[in-house]
Amino acid sequence: MLFKENNFHKLSKVFLSETPCVSIFIPTHRAGQTQEDKIRFKNAVSEAKEKLQTESIFNFEKMTEKEAKGFLTSAYDLLEKDNFWLHQSDGLAVFIGNDFFEYYETPIKFETKVYVNHHFYLRPLLPLLNKDHRFFLLALSQGEVRFFEGQKYSITPVKIKDLTPANFAEAMAVEDPEKTLQAHGAGNSTVHHGHGLHKDQQDWQLEQYCRMVDDGLMKMLHDEKAPLIIAGVDELVAIYKNISRYNYIVEPHVSGNVENDDPVLLHEKAWRKIVPVFNQKIEKKKSEFKTAMANGKASSKLLDIVPKAINGKVETLFLTKHAPVVWGNYVESTNTIDAHSKRNNSSVCLVNLAAVKTIEQGGKIYELDHMELPAFTEMANAIYRY
């Protein structure tokens, strides 16, 4: 199952008071190493079984070996599904509770992690939720028009056939109805329009084509602000940029004829071009943090950040990639955090708690290398809403 934002919100609301929640993350391979993936998952399930038998968690009774095996039945069953292991992505996330079992194949390669508590551990999924990585891609040529919505790890085709001409020939058939039959016969092949036409007339036709495409897309994009990157030959891209009414077209474009590029290849090319745009956003947020810190509206102390996140006050959270688990629990009566040097039966991962509460209440999270944090002496930085 592919992971989506609504899955995160569903998982974040699962809290079990009588039986534990088990979260398992492992790296997997897209092809060729099925046995290695199965062994890694089998070892992770064995670790979960041991935790259920030996660790004192929340108010759960430690399980016998038979009870632990029964609780993990769905995970053991998954190990036996050979076809499942033949079709993996880069990472596998599995969530097990009382009468609850879900798994997600993801395009991120996880570090192996087994977490048992009264809630699920969701922090490894954060990179899939970064809305600041959302962008649009227009693949434009004389032979076809394609449009996509992308994120860092995914790209999705968007149906636009009712909004734009399918290709240059169809657009020109609208200008000259007698060419309609010719346009439908053109299919996705490139229309060479230079025969007998002056350069200024050729340019005018291409401009009309781009304008018709833009008019159609603007019916869908009129209230959007996500960056749009264009893929196509330089001449056509320049014309489109000149006439477009969309205010968020990025300067770099994917140059060349992309008619034969599949979505995966288009995504790869587009992401290389657009990642500096997103990096600029991060740098801007880091500058905002420093200003907010000077005004008392930011913090680099995890124990201060967690209560703010729980109360919906965190607008932006910066986290160190691969930060260790920090144990503690939230004391509601004092709105403070009780930190634990070692895990006890009431401990939760404070980093996971801050992240989940930030996402639940509409905040943004950036995971960065440690030295890239605005205040890199700590593992978490936050900008507050007020």
Side-chain angles (χ1 to χ4, degrees):
M1 185 186 303
L2 296 177
F3 184 80
K4 298 180 180 179
E5 185 175 351
N6 63 325
N7 300 127
F8 183 95
H9 292 294
K10 174 184 176 181
L11 292 167
S12 73
K13 289 176 172 56
V14 176
F15 290 87
L16 300 179
S17 59
E18 296 181 1
T19 58
C21 296
V22 174
S23 308
I24 296 174
F25 297 86
I26 63 166
T28 52
H29 300 84
R30 290 178 181 264
Q33 300 188 52
T34 300
Q35 198 60 30
E36 181 180 339
D37 293 344
K38 289 179 70 174
I39 291 172
R40 185 177 284 114
F41 185 65
K42 182 178 180 181
N43 290 339
V45 175
S46 295
E47 182 180 342
K49 181 174 76 71
E50 182 179 350
K51 287 178 180 288
L52 290 170
Q53 291 177 246
T54 61
E55 292 189 2
S56 177
I57 303 165
F58 199 52
N59 60 351
F60 310 136
E61 295 290 336
K62 295 177 184 177
M63 294 184 180
T64 65
E65 182 176 8
K66 182 178 179 180
E67 288 171 336
K69 282 186 174 179
F71 187 81
L72 297 169
T73 295
S74 296
Y76 286 115
D77 289 345
L78 198 61
L79 275 168
E80 304 304 317
K81 296 181 179 179
D82 292 336
N83 192 55
F84 169 80
W85 294 100
L86 289 172
H87 302 93
Q88 288 300 301
S89 185
D90 297 308
L92 177 66
V94 178
F95 302 96
I96 308 163
N98 188 35
D99 296 325
F100 188 98
F101 180 73
E102 289 189 0
Y103 60 82
Y104 301 93
E105 297 121 351
T106 73
I108 15 182
K109 191 165 283 295
F110 303 122
E111 293 181 352
T112 300
K113 177 74 177 177
V114 178
Y115 184 88
V116 180
N117 217 311
H118 72 307
H119 58 274
F120 291 126
Y121 185 75
L122 303 179
R123 189 189 165 192
L125 299 170
L126 294 178
L128 297 172
L129 302 174
N130 194 336
K131 293 181 180 179
D132 271 10
H133 283 163
R134 178 172 175 261
F135 66 96
F136 297 119
L137 169 63
L138 171 62
L140 182 64
S141 69
Q142 292 184 51
E144 66 177 356
V145 182
R146 289 184 290 166
F147 195 77
F148 303 87
E149 181 175 336
Q151 299 268 5
K152 181 177 182 179
Y153 296 103
S154 64
I155 190 165
T156 305
V158 178
K159 293 181 179 180
I160 57 170
K161 64 180 182 180
D162 295 332
L163 299 174
T164 71
N167 50 45
F168 176 83
E170 185 175 297
M172 291 304 97
V174 174
E175 296 292 324
D176 184 354
E178 293 181 4
K179 296 181 180 178
T180 300
L181 183 60
Q182 178 185 347
H184 284 292
N188 287 331
S189 61
T190 302
V191 178
H192 300 282
H193 61 285
H195 303 294
L197 294 178
H198 294 297
K199 181 67 166 62
D200 58 348
Q201 188 174 359
Q202 296 172 21
D203 290 345
W204 180 86
Q205 287 185 335
L206 288 175
E207 183 177 319
Q208 290 301 105
Y209 173 45
C210 289
R211 199 176 300 280
M212 293 170 73
V213 172
D214 191 65
D215 286 346
L217 291 180
M218 285 304 297
K219 294 175 183 177
M220 178 175 61
L221 299 178
H222 61 92
D223 59 351
E224 289 282 358
K225 294 183 179 180
L228 166 64
I229 186 168
I230 306 173
V233 296
D234 296 346
E235 177 190 10
L236 198 56
V237 171
I239 292 173
Y240 190 89
K241 285 183 176 180
N242 187 53
I243 63 91
S244 179
R245 291 176 291 140
Y246 191 65
N247 295 323
Y248 304 96
I249 298 177
V250 298
E251 184 57 35
H253 67 276
V254 177
S255 180
N257 189 337
V258 294
E259 285 185 27
N260 296 321
D261 289 354
D262 64 26
V264 174
L265 181 57
L266 279 171
H267 179 265
E268 181 182 326
K269 290 179 177 180
W271 182 252
R272 285 200 301 265
K273 294 285 187 178
I274 205 169
V275 69
V277 175
F278 294 128
N279 288 341
Q280 288 175 7
K281 287 186 176 182
I282 294 174
E283 291 303 315
K284 182 179 179 182
K285 277 293 179 184
K286 288 162 71 172
S287 295
E288 289 178 11
F289 171 84
K290 294 175 182 178
T291 301
M293 193 76 165
N295 294 327
K297 295 182 179 179
S299 177
S300 60
K301 303 297 183 183
L302 181 63
L303 299 189
D304 295 333
I305 291 170
V306 177
K308 293 288 197 300
I310 290 172
N311 290 288
K313 295 182 179 180
V314 173
E315 177 208 62
T316 303
L317 179 63
F318 300 93
L319 293 176
T320 302
K321 292 178 181 177
H322 315 303
V325 171
V326 180
W327 296 113
N329 67 323
Y330 174 63
V331 183
E332 186 174 1
S333 60
T334 58
N335 193 36
T336 58
I337 295 298
D338 178 17
H340 306 155
S341 57
K342 293 183 179 180
R343 179 174 184 166
N344 63 39
N345 65 351
S346 67
S347 296
V348 302
C349 173
L350 297 176
V351 179
N352 183 71
L353 180 59
V356 168
K357 293 303 180 182
T358 297
I359 291 294
E360 280 185 340
Q361 299 177 85
K364 295 179 180 179
I365 297 182
Y366 299 97
E367 285 200 301
L368 305 174
D369 290 331
H370 185 68
M371 295 301 292
E372 293 180 348
L373 261 65
F376 56 80
T377 56
E378 304 290 340
M379 70 175 68
N381 302 168
I383 302 172
Y384 300 147
R385 290 191 169 98
Y386 51 91

